[in-house]
Amino acid sequence: MTRLTLTTTLAGSLLCSVALPAAAETIGVSIPAATHGWAGALNFHAEQTVERLEEQYEDLDFVLTTTPDPGTQISDLEDMVATRNIDALVVLPFESEPLTGPIQRIAESGTWVTVVDRGLSQENIEDLYVAGDNESFGRTAGDYFVETLDEGSKVVVLRGIPTSIDNERVEAFQAALDGSGIEILAMEHGNWSRDDAFTVMQDFLSRYPEIDAVWAADDDMAVGAIGAIEQAGRQDEMWVVGGAGMKEMVQRVQDGDSMVPVDVTYPPAMIATAIELTAMGLMSDGVPMSGDFIIASELITQDNADQYYFEDSPY
Amino acid sequence: MSTASTNAGARRGMKIDLHVLGPILALVALIGIGIALNSNFLSYGNITNVLARSAFIGIIAVGMTFVITAGGLDLSVGSMAAFIAGLMILCMNLLVPSMGQSLGVILIGIAVALAAGLVAGAINGLLVTRAGIEAFIVTLGTMGIYRSLVTWLADGGTLSLDYGMRELYRPVYYDGILGVSWPIIVFAIVAILGEIVMRHTAFGRHCAAIGSNETVARYSTVAVTRVKTLTYILLGCLVGVAVVMYVPRLGSASASTGLLWELEAIAAVIIGGTVLKGGFGRVWGTVVGVLILSLIGNILNLTDMVSPYLNGAIQGVIIILAVVLQRKGSTAT
């Protein structure tokens, strides 16, 4: 089961002042558009949660927007406040820096703010923070490498889109490998894309005659890397660890695929956690709900894979 | 004085050469750098990889050469490729229960991809010619439409081809004849046919005529509307061909498939010496342009010389340099 740590502080009084009986409450949800698999699953879980909660609470309305870039997200937020008069906001900032100011203004106007996954660049703006743990994501993978590989083993790393998320993960991975005698041959950006990862992995395979393992850091990139390794006919030489918990990859772990021994979670369903908690805080008077809610990354192994396989999810 | 004039003459001669040879020189230079930096650069595996991965953009860029030569532009090809790939995978998955994992399903999938490309190209072409809307705006619109449609088809996730079908279809990307893989063969055929059509047929000459001056072309009894529409249809069909080669590679399509392919294709066309405003097109130049773009990425992956953060900057510098080289030549002549 996913280990959850919930730190709450008192906020009952604030909630009471917002909730008026019989008047419909509106929650605005703003998330990035489905440009890659993980974000796609994020959209899926957001829509599902919104549908479920609208049935559950009669007096609760939702405004859901998906955004392709930070600029559009700022406009979306302005529209939500101006035209829909939202009572609470659940936002996954596209980028931390440009969104900090606009979200701060919304929070100052008395709207409840829940920030998901990407923290703002200033502290104490949001009422509730729900996030995955990028540091634990990199460290969990790194620990597995250290446990499994011998000293002197050679690994290559596929990185994501250059962002602070990617940096945190890679730094934690490197820190875990520090002093283990495992050599990182090279790191290149595969941009969380199957096609880019395929290309980068092809070139790594041409460049290095000996590779023992690949940290693909994302399941989409793992799919691309595996495609390139199979093309080169070197699937017996190395294994690949992805990340996030895509269902095809979890399936392969479950089946005991020698190329995909484990996977590391970074659940896109965290958006559901955020929306649920926000709705609960808004609709149930006096339930304390502010604080940080950090969802740790777990190692998926053949033994526990069935707990992480979701049949209906698109991801 | 006499020395100055001979100098000028010699320089002019060199400039003319640069105009034609600019892209080739850039390509040769890149190959030289590659050889110097990594001994595996010229290995059979690496060359096959680079050529095969160039094939998608390459096939599309050949079609783009005709559109740009006729004074048009198509920004939708990347999204279109993603949408067609999604459509093709959906159709094939739907047919598997009734037809089994058979060759027939693959053939129908290929037919769907080509037909979808033709229709998508015709929509772009007709909106540009019949409705008289700027090509930039039309294709910017369809770019957004196709990108959204594939995201919607995939429910925000990834569309994956049925596992058994993937094994059956896989050889189309990975196998070939005499060690030359199919994408490379198809790319070569498309490029050679494109070069012949551009240089030796009325259609190619009409494209250039329309691109340099549409009104004059119309007075010269060139069927402007028809030829322009045909360039978009041709491009659409070639996007279909590229998708037929792309789907067997990883057997999936998602919202990130074909991202920025349109800009890579346009960049390849311009590096190759085709004029962005239209009026002059060079298919072999486009092929060289595509290879230059692929090689930059390949070489950067094969070395640690530059921080990966700077890959985009290196690509940008080389694109601009390759064009500057030939533009210097063309302004002098």
Side-chain angles (χ1 to χ4, degrees):
Chain A
M1 288 289 125
T2 322
R3 181 164 49 85
L4 306 173
T5 38
L6 176 59
T7 341
T8 48
T9 54
L10 284 171
S13 57
L14 195 149
L15 283 165
C16 290
S17 67
V18 176
L20 290 166
E25 303 279 352
T26 308
I27 298 180
V29 181
S30 173
I31 52 176
T35 48
H36 57 267
W38 191 85
L42 187 82
N43 280 257
F44 169 81
H45 287 292
E47 276 173 41
Q48 276 218 324
T49 312
V50 165
E51 258 175 50
R52 192 174 61 239
L53 289 176
E54 278 181 337
E55 269 179 34
Q56 193 179 333
Y57 299 104
E58 271 180 20
D59 294 339
L60 195 57
D61 282 334
F62 284 93
V63 195
L64 175 66
T65 61
T66 60
T67 172
D69 57 76
T72 317
Q73 190 166 30
I74 294 173
S75 316
D76 286 347
L77 295 182
E78 286 168 355
D79 291 349
M80 276 184 192
V81 172
T83 64
R84 299 297 301 268
N85 199 16
I86 53 170
D87 302 289
L89 172 70
V90 178
V91 58
L92 200 163
F94 206 98
E95 273 174 39
S96 304
E97 288 290 338
L99 266 305
T100 298
I103 293 175
Q104 184 169 23
R105 279 194 290 283
I106 294 174
E108 279 166 0
S109 73
T111 306
W112 177 272
V113 173
T114 303
V115 172
V116 187
D117 200 36
R118 255 159 257 183
L120 300 174
S121 51
Q122 277 178 31
E123 287 178 14
N124 299 325
I125 293 175
E126 69 274 3
D127 299 280
L128 174 63
Y129 179 57
V130 176
D133 187 348
N134 287 303
E135 203 250 316
S136 127
F137 180 89
R139 193 184 52 238
T140 308
D143 287 345
Y144 178 78
F145 276 64
V146 174
E147 273 169 36
T148 318
L149 291 170
D150 300 325
E151 210 177 310
S153 297
K154 294 175 168 54
V155 301
V156 292
V157 174
L158 299 173
R159 304 187 56 163
I161 296 170
T163 45
S164 56
I165 300 174
D166 183 60
N167 290 344
E168 283 172 29
R169 291 176 176 182
V170 171
E171 277 161 22
F173 179 80
Q174 283 175 307
L177 256 59
D178 225 13
S180 65
I182 298 170
E183 186 191 351
I184 298 178
L185 292 170
M187 300 201 266
E188 281 284 346
H189 291 282
N191 302 322
W192 292 318
S193 142
R194 292 184 183 199
D195 289 315
D196 290 357
F198 180 84
T199 308
V200 170
M201 193 63 214
Q202 273 190 333
D203 291 343
F204 278 161
L205 289 165
S206 311
R207 187 170 156 194
Y208 300 110
E210 194 201 329
I211 301 172
D212 299 304
V214 182
W215 186 46
D218 174 80
D219 286 336
D220 271 316
M221 291 205 285
V223 171
I226 290 169
I229 295 167
E230 280 174 352
Q231 181 196 21
R234 288 168 68 176
Q235 54 267 53
D236 295 333
E237 295 172 32
M238 65 193 88
W239 41 261
V240 180
V241 173
M246 182 164 75
K247 77 178 175 191
E248 285 87 353
M249 280 295 148
V250 177
Q251 177 84 61
R252 290 179 84 147
V253 173
Q254 202 167 5
D255 294 346
D257 192 322
S258 61
M259 270 195 89
V260 189
V262 293
D263 200 356
V264 180
T265 62
Y266 197 81
M270 68 174 70
I271 191 71
T273 314
I275 298 173
E276 290 265 9
L277 289 178
T278 307
M280 201 194 289
L282 205 59
M283 302 310 286
S284 333
D285 290 350
V287 179
M289 204 52 74
S290 59
D292 292 347
F293 196 111
I294 305 301
I295 301 166
S297 286
E298 305 281 322
L299 191 70
I300 306 179
T301 61
Q302 196 177 355
D303 298 329
N304 67 7
D306 56 325
Q307 294 167 21
Y308 298 97
Y309 186 80
F310 305 108
E311 185 63 49
D312 295 335
S313 165
Y315 182 67
Chain B
M1 262 187 56
S2 63
T3 45
S5 65
T6 44
N7 265 352
R11 270 174 59 201
R12 208 167 125 228
M14 229 184 88
K15 277 176 183 169
I16 294 166
D17 281 345
L18 272 182
H19 177 41
V20 183
L21 293 177
I24 296 181
L25 284 179
L27 183 64
V28 170
L30 274 176
I31 293 174
I33 294 171
I35 296 171
L37 288 176
N38 195 302
S39 56
N40 284 329
F41 181 75
L42 281 185
S43 68
Y44 164 76
N46 193 49
I47 291 176
T48 303
N49 286 346
V50 170
L51 289 176
R53 76 174 69 138
S54 307
F56 314 131
I57 303 277
I59 292 168
I60 293 171
V62 169
M64 188 71 83
T65 312
F66 285 91
V67 170
I68 291 180
T69 303
L73 193 69
D74 193 337
L75 295 173
S76 70
V77 288
S79 307
M80 196 194 288
F83 171 63
I84 295 174
L87 199 65
M88 181 180 181
I89 290 172
L90 268 184
C91 288
M92 288 167 82
N93 284 350
L94 280 178
L95 286 171
V96 168
S98 56
M99 295 178 64
Q101 289 162 353
S102 61
L103 194 66
V105 178
I106 293 180
L107 291 177
I108 292 175
I110 291 175
V112 166
L114 296 178
L118 190 139
V119 171
I123 291 173
N124 278 343
L126 290 174
L127 281 172
V128 170
T129 54
R130 299 285 173 190
I133 312 170
E134 294 276 344
F136 186 94
I137 294 302
V138 168
T139 57
L140 188 68
T142 48
M143 170 170 98
I145 293 171
Y146 294 132
R147 183 66 63 198
S148 299
L149 283 177
V150 70
T151 314
W152 177 69
L153 281 181
D155 211 0
T158 303
L159 287 164
S160 294
L161 190 58
D162 177 86
Y163 188 76
M165 285 307 304
R166 210 180 306 174
E167 289 302 304
L168 198 63
Y169 193 10
R170 208 174 170 270
V172 173
Y173 182 81
Y174 293 98
D175 288 0
I177 312 174
L178 300 172
V180 185
S181 70
W182 286 114
I184 303 175
I185 296 171
V186 172
F187 180 24
I189 294 173
V190 166
I192 291 167
L193 287 179
E195 178 70 20
I196 292 172
V197 170
M198 182 65 89
R199 288 204 171 206
H200 299 291
T201 66
F203 178 71
R205 284 192 297 275
H206 288 169
C207 286
I210 294 168
S212 49
N213 192 323
E214 205 174 311
T215 318
V216 172
R218 188 165 281 127
Y219 289 148
S220 321
T221 69
V222 172
V224 173
T225 309
R226 211 189 60 185
V227 171
K228 277 177 82 175
T229 313
L230 275 176
T231 58
Y232 288 97
I233 294 179
L234 173 71
L235 176 54
C237 290
L238 288 175
V239 171
V241 173
V243 168
V244 167
M245 310 311 299
Y246 170 82
V247 170
R249 186 165 84 171
L250 294 172
S252 64
S254 69
S256 67
T257 299
L259 218 54
L260 297 182
W261 281 12
E262 61 280 347
L263 292 186
E264 276 193 53
I266 293 169
V269 170
I270 305 308
I271 291 173
T274 299
V275 181
L276 185 55
K277 277 185 250 162
F280 176 75
R282 202 157 60 180
V283 173
W284 68 260
T286 299
V287 174
V288 174
V290 170
L291 294 180
I292 289 176
L293 288 179
S294 293
L295 277 180
I296 299 170
N298 180 241
I299 290 171
L300 289 172
N301 283 344
L302 289 178
T303 55
D304 278 327
M305 281 218 317
V306 231
S307 154
Y309 295 132
L310 288 174
N311 282 8
I314 307 272
Q315 281 178 344
V317 167
I318 292 177
I319 290 170
I320 294 171
L321 268 184
V323 176
V324 164
L325 270 179
Q326 36 171 309
R327 287 301 139 84
K328 270 191 172 165
S330 69
T331 44
T333 51

